[in-house]
Amino acid sequence: WKQINLYVTKEFAMSKLIRGRRLLMHRRKVVGLFCLTMLLIGCVTMNDHGLERALKHMTGAAISHYIDKDGVCENALPYAKMHDLRIKEIENYQKIHIQRIGGVSSSYDNDPPPTNVLPPGSSVAYWNCKTHKTECENPAINAENHMQGSAWTADGVEAFNIGPRQKDDKFQIWVNHEKYVFLTTKRTHLKGNAVAFFGFFPGNFGHVLHDNLPVVAWLRSIAPKDATFILPATSIYRNLIEFIDPVFFEKIYWYHANEVVTVEEGTLTVANPSYLLPARYGNTLFRFYRHWIFDNHPDKYADDKKLIIFYRRGGSHTHHGRVLNPKHEQDILNLIRANMAKYGRQEELVIFTGMDIEGETLPLITQFDIFRRASTIIGPHGSGLANSIWTNPFPESCDDRVRMLEFIPGSDSKQVQMPYYNGYYWVMRGMPIDWNQITYASNSTEDITYIRLPDLQRALDSMWGSSTD
């Protein structure tokens, strides 16, 4: 019955499974109800994947969203729509994502991370072992992409029980302070209640935007109103939070690696996320994040102001390759333009690089404005697509969601990036976006990439065609 409850709820009735089959229900009501009844009977013995496959077989498309507490269409499955002529590739893609996310049933809202409220006199720090690799128990800790820290009381009690883990375990964010406190380069004392967090890759635009700030948004909801937030002193963190919420920005103390911050005359709240990526919590953290952004940036645009965005990687700011072959990219753009004409799309096609004509990074307000106006976003996996955070967080309906088509590595293009099938859906599926993906072609390298144009055509037909196409 847990399996049935997952799908057969008011959200199920409101999903596209039912809405997309109104004609069937009108003309074949008896047959439709009989099939649904038989499906429910069979669900008792099905596992998650079996139920989802049965629904997919019955309807022609798996349930991909449900209506959340805010009345917004949310993503429900742990994978996006994969457009590929190879059925086995799609099945493998779905299987991998179900394993990553912990099963179909875990893709709904999960409980938030555990927290601990430490008494006055408690301390927090995050560590950098770059100059002390031989002395650190885990020399990989670098205050960049391998973040670990400590939080402890004045009596030396750790905030969370730290069990034996592999030294290179990036998913363990807390370590025993006694083994790293020798790294301390500065001590700071703050008065009053405080909340501390550091997160993953605090100097990277994309990771701060979609991995760290959802946690900060959630912590804001549970923190004392007068609390000071203690966050990593990186320009990315500063710029993003100042843009999102200038008032909240004034409540932050920015701490550096190997700086021990002690809280006096107040409590210290810390969280212990079980997963590196907040998407593993379903929509739990992103719901707070969406509200936080929308409360401060409620901008909406009329249809005649909407954009179709093509994300182009390349230039000095691109550090991980995955640049489309220039000639092939022109073929892709020509196909997109042809389909815009085919489907009567009136939006302007904009090529987004994140840079202006002088090669300087676009101001955040400009990036925000471009993506808040988006109706469709297309391009290769990369931090530029992280700007989809700025899209409308509360569309009027499921059909009004922004459509995203992302190019990702597949089983025959693992050389482009690992892990393969790595895409933004399982990072940001808490955003109300209609997620679509296609894989790179097998002749791609980690530097220069290609896609299969027939897959692109299938994806465009799916995103822009009518429900009867």
Side-chain angles (χ1 to χ4, degrees):
W1 286 107
K2 180 181 178 182
Q3 306 291 343
I4 298 173
N5 185 57
L6 176 63
Y7 288 98
V8 186
T9 60
K10 67 177 181 179
E11 291 85 10
F12 176 92
M14 298 170 73
S15 75
K16 69 178 182 182
L17 173 66
I18 297 300
R19 293 187 298 104
R21 298 301 187 278
R22 286 174 179 166
L23 187 60
L24 172 65
M25 296 300 288
H26 178 70
R27 294 182 178 179
R28 305 178 185 178
K29 190 171 184 179
V30 175
V31 175
L33 291 174
F34 173 76
C35 290
L36 183 58
T37 302
M38 295 306 294
L39 174 64
L40 297 183
I41 293 172
C43 284
V44 176
T45 58
M46 285 185 182
N47 57 22
D48 288 346
H49 192 51
L51 173 57
E52 178 254 321
R53 287 174 63 89
L55 287 168
K56 185 173 183 179
H57 177 75
M58 174 183 173
T59 65
I63 298 173
S64 62
H65 57 256
Y66 70 104
I67 307 301
D68 79 354
K69 299 173 183 177
D70 297 306
V72 173
C73 188
E74 285 286 11
N75 302 289
L77 292 176
Y79 47 75
K81 301 173 188 173
M82 173 63 74
H83 303 278
D84 201 299
L85 290 169
R86 302 164 297 170
I87 300 302
K88 288 186 177 180
E89 183 75 4
I90 295 177
E91 291 180 346
N92 191 47
Y93 163 82
Q94 294 177 350
K95 178 181 178 181
I96 292 294
H97 276 274
I98 288 174
Q99 292 173 348
R100 283 178 178 172
I101 218 70
V104 173
S105 61
S106 70
S107 62
Y108 283 77
D109 293 4
N110 295 323
D111 292 335
T115 59
N116 197 349
V117 180
L118 304 181
S122 298
S123 302
V124 65
Y126 67 97
W127 310 113
N128 183 359
C129 289
K130 282 184 177 179
T131 59
H132 296 79
K133 291 186 176 181
T134 58
E135 302 164 73
C136 285
E137 181 182 57
N138 184 351
I141 298 175
N142 57 16
E144 293 177 0
N145 63 338
H146 197 133
M147 299 287 296
Q148 291 182 314
S150 304
W152 65 99
T153 68
D155 297 329
V157 178
E158 305 293 338
F160 299 98
N161 293 327
I162 302 171
R165 304 251 186 134
Q166 295 295 326
K167 289 184 178 182
D168 61 349
D169 185 359
K170 295 182 180 180
F171 296 89
Q172 177 187 351
I173 69 169
W174 298 109
V175 292
N176 191 313
H177 78 281
E178 292 181 347
K179 297 181 178 179
Y180 293 91
V181 73
F182 74 90
L183 294 167
T184 303
T185 57
K186 181 181 178 180
R187 291 185 180 273
T188 300
H189 294 264
L190 300 179
K191 290 187 178 182
N193 296 317
V195 180
F197 183 65
F198 46 87
F200 173 69
F201 226 143
N204 178 275
F205 174 81
H207 287 292
V208 173
L209 193 60
H210 56 65
D211 290 339
N212 297 340
L213 292 188
V215 181
V216 174
W218 163 69
L219 286 170
R220 288 177 68 250
S221 72
I222 65 172
K225 297 299 182 183
D226 62 346
T228 297
F229 268 67
I230 305 171
L231 299 174
T234 68
S235 60
I236 297 294
Y237 246 111
R238 289 175 183 267
N239 294 340
L240 283 170
I241 291 183
E242 185 174 25
F243 171 73
I244 293 174
D245 190 344
V247 175
F248 176 69
F249 179 82
E250 299 299 326
K251 300 173 62 176
I252 298 172
Y253 175 78
W254 302 99
Y255 71 144
H256 295 81
N258 298 338
E259 176 183 358
V260 173
V261 180
T262 300
V263 176
E264 301 172 344
E265 301 178 21
T267 61
L268 172 62
T269 300
V270 289
N272 187 23
S274 300
Y275 309 113
L276 182 65
L277 305 176
R280 294 292 293 270
Y281 290 97
N283 302 299
T284 300
L285 305 184
F286 269 89
R287 181 170 293 114
F288 295 100
Y289 194 24
R290 285 170 21 223
H291 276 283
W292 187 24
I293 293 174
F294 193 73
D295 288 346
N296 291 280
H297 300 276
D299 316 53
K300 289 187 176 182
Y301 293 91
D303 289 344
D304 61 354
K305 302 293 185 181
K306 294 292 182 68
L307 303 174
I308 293 174
I309 300 171
F310 181 82
Y311 169 48
R312 170 184 289 164
R313 290 178 62 81
S316 59
H317 62 292
T318 301
H319 303 296
H320 300 292
R322 300 192 303 279
V323 176
L324 286 165
N325 172 277
K327 184 178 182 302
H328 184 57
E329 184 178 79
Q330 288 306 310
D331 293 336
I332 293 171
L333 288 168
N334 289 339
L335 188 57
I336 292 172
R337 292 188 182 100
N339 278 272
M340 289 175 64
K342 172 183 176 181
Y343 289 111
R345 308 294 301 198
Q346 299 300 312
E347 302 97 323
E348 177 186 356
L349 177 62
V350 172
I351 297 176
F352 175 82
T353 64
M355 315 293 283
D356 61 21
I357 59 175
E358 303 296 330
E360 298 295 328
T361 301
L362 288 172
L364 273 174
I365 185 61
T366 304
Q367 297 185 54
F368 170 88
D369 183 69
I370 291 172
F371 279 82
R372 180 56 65 90
R373 294 168 62 189
S375 66
T376 303
I377 304 168
I378 302 172
H381 176 74
S383 288
L385 292 186
N387 281 288
S388 57
I389 288 290
W390 308 131
T391 59
N392 183 8
F394 297 103
E396 296 298 325
S397 69
C398 298
D399 292 337
D400 291 329
R401 292 181 300 169
V402 172
R403 289 162 172 78
M404 166 84 83
L405 175 58
E406 181 182 19
F407 310 158
I408 64 173
S411 62
D412 63 346
S413 52
K414 300 176 184 178
Q415 67 277 10
V416 175
Q417 186 186 28
M418 289 296 286
Y420 64 105
Y421 301 136
N422 182 45
Y424 275 121
Y425 180 75
W426 71 295
V427 176
M428 299 193 300
R429 79 178 189 281
M431 289 295 294
I433 293 174
D434 181 13
W435 298 87
N436 300 261
Q437 294 175 331
I438 59 177
T439 62
Y440 292 114
S442 59
N443 59 332
S444 300
T445 68
E446 62 180 350
D447 297 316
I448 303 298
T449 57
Y450 302 82
I451 62 171
R452 300 171 181 85
L453 294 181
D455 289 346
L456 174 60
Q457 182 62 61
R458 287 168 62 89
L460 295 174
D461 287 338
S462 174
M463 292 192 300
W464 291 344
S466 69
S467 60
T468 58
D469 287 340

